[in-house]
Amino acid sequence: MQSGLSAHDIERIHWMTLALRLPEGGVMAKFQDSDSCVGHFETVRWQFGLYCPRCKARDIAPKSSRKTYRCRKCAYHFSATAGTFAHGANRNLLTYFLAAEDIIKQKARMSSFESITGHEFKDQHGLAYMTARRLLKLLTEELLLEDGGLIGRCICAKEINVPPDIELGGHDHFHWLFEALQARGIR
Ligand SMILES: [Zn+2]
């Protein structure tokens, strides 16, 4: 490999970048409840306009009192999270955001022989063990996508400026991120 970094270090560059892009003061300071998370989720998900998750039509009736949209073409009723990794989780979206923040922070400082266990995660988020394991897997998979996937784009919006003389994906990039995280007190 050209950069000389291990696969784990390359993945850690991804996690450290997400961690640096978390909001100042944390997710809790930015999102007070699941309603504000849903509002933000919609803005990010449909940044290029609202469309039906089933048939992709853009002719959508406004939100009903039940907080769902209706597709005028295929009559599908859908909520903000329909058809995404967080399908059906509208009321729990704050838990998802906080859990994702926690995963990012932990992964950003983990060596190759550490991992987050379902038991720790359950205790940290007050979840049942099976729920914790499912959420941990679901969120980790989403967060590994480019820019942290949909949830990454929801909570990791802070601009960071890697100096232009640093080669992305190399040792210097790794160390720059490492030091920037220390400076922010995330390590
Ligand atoms: Zn439709």
Side-chain angles (χ1 to χ4, degrees), residues 135-184:
L135 199 57
L136 183 57
K137 184 169 180 286
L138 189 79
L139 292 175
T140 304
E141 281 172 5
E142 182 73 14
L143 286 166
L144 277 169
L145 300 174
E146 190 179 359
D147 293 331
L150 194 46
I151 195 151
R153 284 185 283 128
C154 282
I155 64 172
C156 304
K158 193 170 146 66
E159 287 284 334
I160 57 166
N161 296 304
V162 180
D165 59 331
I166 285 182
E167 189 194 345
L168 296 181
H171 280 283
D172 290 350
H173 189 196
F174 186 96
H175 288 291
W176 185 86
L177 290 166
F178 188 86
E179 282 172 18
L181 279 174
Q182 277 191 321
R184 265 190 75 187

Side-chain angles (χ1 to χ4, degrees), residues 80-101:
T81 56
T84 72
F85 73 95
H87 191 100
N90 291 34
R91 275 178 299 153
N92 299 321
L93 217 46
L94 182 59
T95 303
Y96 276 53
F97 279 23
L98 291 169
E101 175 182 47

Side-chain angles (χ1 to χ4, degrees), residues 51-60 70-78:
Y51 61 87
C52 172
R54 183 178 279 170
C55 77
K56 309 281 185 263
R58 291 187 174 271
D59 187 7
I60 308 297
R70 183 176 55 81
C71 174
R72 288 196 177 104
K73 192 172 170 206
C74 77
Y76 182 50
H77 287 262
F78 59 95

Side-chain angles (χ1 to χ4, degrees), residues 32-44:
Q32 289 74 35
D33 52 35
S34 281
D35 279 349
S36 64
C37 294
V38 170
H40 187 64
F41 192 90
E42 292 187 333
T43 307
V44 172

